[in-house]
Amino acid sequence: MSAFLSIADVSKRFSGLVAVNGVSCEVAQGEIFAVIGPNGAGKTTLFNMIAGALRPDEGAITYRGERIDGLRPDEICRRGIARTFQIVRPFPALTVEDNVMVGALLRTADVARAARDADEVMRRLDLFDKRARPAKSLTLPDRKRLEVARALASGPSLLLLDEPTAGMNPRETSDMMALINKLRKDLGLTVLLIEHDMKVVMGISDRVTVLDHGERIAEGSPEEVRHDPKVIEAYLGTPAS
């Protein structure tokens, strides 16, 4: 059986800079898979290639047995892959409800149905009581939830989360961790996330892959990766003793 998401020998260059160099990994259906690494490791470039914002120079990306590298972002989203961004990007003047409906309208031209779908998502993410507020008025944690809600409204099977806890305090981070776990459990979502907070990575991930200077240097369970000498060196800048 083929992997739910397969990334095979993918590379991306920007002029003379190699951002991602021959990276391969496979994500199983229903798991939470984390991509970690120091700043500049190539994590966001890899995400952008999966989501269709960038086209790989080499390699292949396969989702549910179908090549998706080279497709437009909207085509990839229609196939069931939705993403969030590290820097949240709501439509600031639109209400929370209208922001979520933007995602729902990807699947239907029926505005009434999109409103019902948005209603369900907002209730699931505790945003329903704030549905009439403009997005720009929300706190950071609620804007992060709105980012997830808009992606979720598009009906994905694979959710790409780019640093979902960035800028949050410990309590807000714990709430987001609980939400990600609940979405996986209740909706059967597969989650691929970039995250710098090791508490988050160790707390919710089934498997982790580690990038450094555009290359994969380790992969395994959170505990295995945590004690890998190459990972320790990449983060601390000195060889592990």
Side-chain angles (χ1 to χ4, degrees):
M1 182 181 295
S2 60
F4 192 65
L5 177 72
S6 176
I7 300 164
D9 298 318
V10 167
S11 297
K12 184 64 183 180
R13 299 176 183 85
F14 299 100
S15 298
L17 173 66
V18 181
V20 174
N21 187 22
V23 169
S24 296
C25 61
E26 293 188 344
V27 179
Q29 186 170 7
E31 76 174 337
I32 297 177
F33 189 98
V35 179
I36 68 172
N39 289 332
K43 305 181 298 296
T44 297
T45 299
L46 181 63
F47 249 46
N48 284 336
M49 288 190 285
I50 298 169
L54 294 173
R55 182 188 294 262
D57 294 322
E58 290 103 26
I61 302 173
T62 305
Y63 173 65
R64 288 182 156 176
E66 178 187 5
R67 286 280 296 269
I68 61 170
D69 50 280
L71 296 180
R72 298 190 313 266
D74 63 296
E75 294 174 323
I76 290 174
C77 191
R78 289 178 190 281
R79 283 163 171 76
I81 299 176
R83 72 168 298 178
T84 67
F85 295 86
Q86 176 187 354
I87 300 173
V88 291
R89 299 180 178 183
F91 298 102
L94 296 183
T95 64
V96 168
E97 181 177 26
D98 286 343
N99 266 273
V100 180
M101 282 185 64
V102 168
L105 285 166
L106 180 81
R107 295 289 179 186
T108 178
D110 184 335
V111 174
R113 178 180 171 185
R116 291 193 298 271
D117 292 344
D119 182 289
E120 179 181 345
V121 171
M122 288 186 294
R123 290 180 187 277
R124 188 178 295 279
L125 273 73
D126 295 327
L127 290 170
F128 185 77
D129 290 344
K130 300 169 184 175
R131 63 191 181 279
R133 291 176 55 179
K136 64 184 177 183
S137 72
L138 297 180
T139 63
L140 176 62
D142 281 339
R143 278 182 281 140
K144 289 278 191 177
R145 284 179 176 265
L146 178 57
E147 187 88 353
V148 175
R150 190 173 56 184
L152 202 62
S154 69
S157 297
L158 173 61
L159 186 60
L160 309 179
L161 300 177
D162 191 347
E163 298 202 32
T165 68
M168 292 185 175
N169 64 37
R171 179 170 182 175
E172 294 162 351
T173 295
S174 294
D175 288 345
M176 181 59 76
M177 291 170 65
L179 173 62
I180 294 169
N181 269 322
K182 184 172 175 58
L183 292 177
R184 191 256 293 262
K185 179 181 177 182
D186 292 352
L187 302 178
L189 285 177
T190 304
V191 179
L192 177 61
L193 66 93
I194 294 173
E195 185 54 66
H196 275 109
D197 189 329
M198 289 301 102
K199 176 184 175 183
V200 176
V201 173
M202 299 300 160
I204 66 173
S205 302
D206 298 304
R207 288 189 302 128
V208 181
T209 196
V210 187
L211 302 184
D212 186 32
H213 297 293
E215 298 186 354
R216 190 184 75 172
I217 62 170
E219 185 174 298
S221 69
E223 195 63 21
E224 289 170 338
V225 165
R226 183 179 187 177
H227 294 99
D228 189 295
K230 292 182 180 179
V231 177
I232 296 171
E233 182 177 355
Y235 274 94
L236 299 182
T238 57
S241 57

